[in-house]
Amino acid sequence: MSVIPFSQALRERTWTDHGSTESETFMSDLMRGKGTRDDYIALVEQHYFIYAALESAAERMADDPVAAPFISPQLTRMPALEADLEFLIGPDWAARIRPLPSTQRYVDRITEVGSSWPGGFIAHHYTRYLGDLSGGQVIRRLMQRQFGFETNGVGFYLFDQIADPKQFKNTYREQLDSVDWDADECARVIDEVVLAYRFNADLFVDLSAAKAAA
């Protein structure tokens, strides 16, 4: 009997969690044209804190033999996020944004595993960046159509240094399959991906609550 590649097992065992995240009301409303420009800006604000933590963790993990192959400057999102926020909010954007409670918990977890556990770092790296290269492109096109953006405002989703996103994702999955993790570590990494999806779902709940309270 053939052994299922780790990347396939990871995708299959987290598919339900991924789907439930996408169905959260805040995000589903935004995707169906029921959200506002301010809703989109609120999401970009929270992305800033998440990716600041993730890319700081990448710097710490850059010399780790397990994590390093996954870290690529082609994926770096912080300059694009900063440019998007300046366009969307103004030059004083940094003084005007705050992490929501769910975002802070998410950031704390990324910081924790990104300091000590390569597998946990990879779990969050995989969840965010492969999602950005997949569903994120759908979000970009919808936001461009809905709010009249060209590249300003959606630069976060534009990976202009990746000529072939499909090939990039395939290579990433091949790297996942080549890591020499035992069964217990594979299970831990999958559990961390599930946790990442849960953090994302919690963020959408918080965004809905903040919108309702505004």
Side-chain angles (χ1 to χ4, degrees):
M1 184 174 65
S2 61
V3 177
I4 297 175
F6 175 68
S7 62
Q8 181 182 341
L10 173 58
R11 188 158 40 176
E12 290 176 356
R13 290 173 60 183
T14 60
W15 185 252
T16 300
D17 303 278
H18 177 254
S20 64
T21 298
E22 290 186 337
S23 68
E24 289 294 337
T25 303
F26 178 88
M27 201 62 198
S28 60
D29 281 355
L30 195 60
M31 297 291 281
R32 290 184 296 177
K34 294 183 178 181
T36 66
R37 191 175 189 272
D38 284 344
D39 294 339
Y40 173 69
I41 293 171
L43 178 63
V44 179
E45 291 174 7
Q46 301 310 305
H47 279 163
Y48 172 82
F49 298 104
I50 294 165
Y51 284 83
L54 188 57
E55 294 183 5
S56 292
E59 291 177 6
R60 294 193 296 275
M61 284 284 175
D63 294 326
D64 182 89
V66 176
F70 296 90
I71 299 169
S72 167
Q74 295 168 293
L75 293 172
T76 302
R77 297 292 86 200
M78 285 301 288
L81 276 168
E82 291 169 356
D84 284 345
L85 287 166
E86 181 161 357
F87 172 78
L88 293 166
I89 297 175
D92 61 342
W93 64 266
R96 295 172 59 185
I97 67 173
R98 297 287 184 276
L100 291 168
S102 55
T103 300
Q104 191 59 57
R105 292 192 297 272
Y106 198 174
V107 164
D108 290 345
R109 181 59 181 175
I110 291 171
T111 301
E112 179 185 355
V113 300
S115 301
S116 58
W117 177 28
F121 164 74
I122 292 167
H124 289 278
H125 193 273
Y126 161 87
T127 304
R128 297 300 330 179
Y129 292 115
L130 261 65
D132 298 332
L133 285 165
S134 300
Q137 301 311 300
V138 178
I139 296 171
R140 172 180 59 82
R141 289 190 292 271
L142 287 170
M143 297 305 100
Q144 286 175 314
R145 186 161 64 243
Q146 187 172 344
F147 302 122
F149 298 135
E150 293 182 3
T151 57
N152 289 333
V154 291
F156 168 74
Y157 296 106
L158 295 169
F159 290 83
D160 54 5
Q161 295 184 50
I162 298 178
D164 188 342
K166 183 178 180 181
Q167 182 57 49
F168 189 97
K169 290 185 289 183
N170 287 341
T171 300
Y172 193 108
R173 293 186 182 104
E174 289 168 3
Q175 290 172 326
L176 282 173
D177 295 337
S178 69
V179 179
D180 188 23
W181 285 323
D182 62 20
D184 287 345
E185 182 67 358
C186 286
R188 284 184 74 206
V189 172
I190 290 172
D191 286 345
E192 193 67 24
V193 171
V194 171
L195 182 61
Y197 284 132
R198 192 174 306 146
F199 280 128
N200 217 35
D202 290 347
L203 169 58
F204 296 147
V205 171
D206 262 11
L207 284 165
S208 290
K211 178 179 179 177

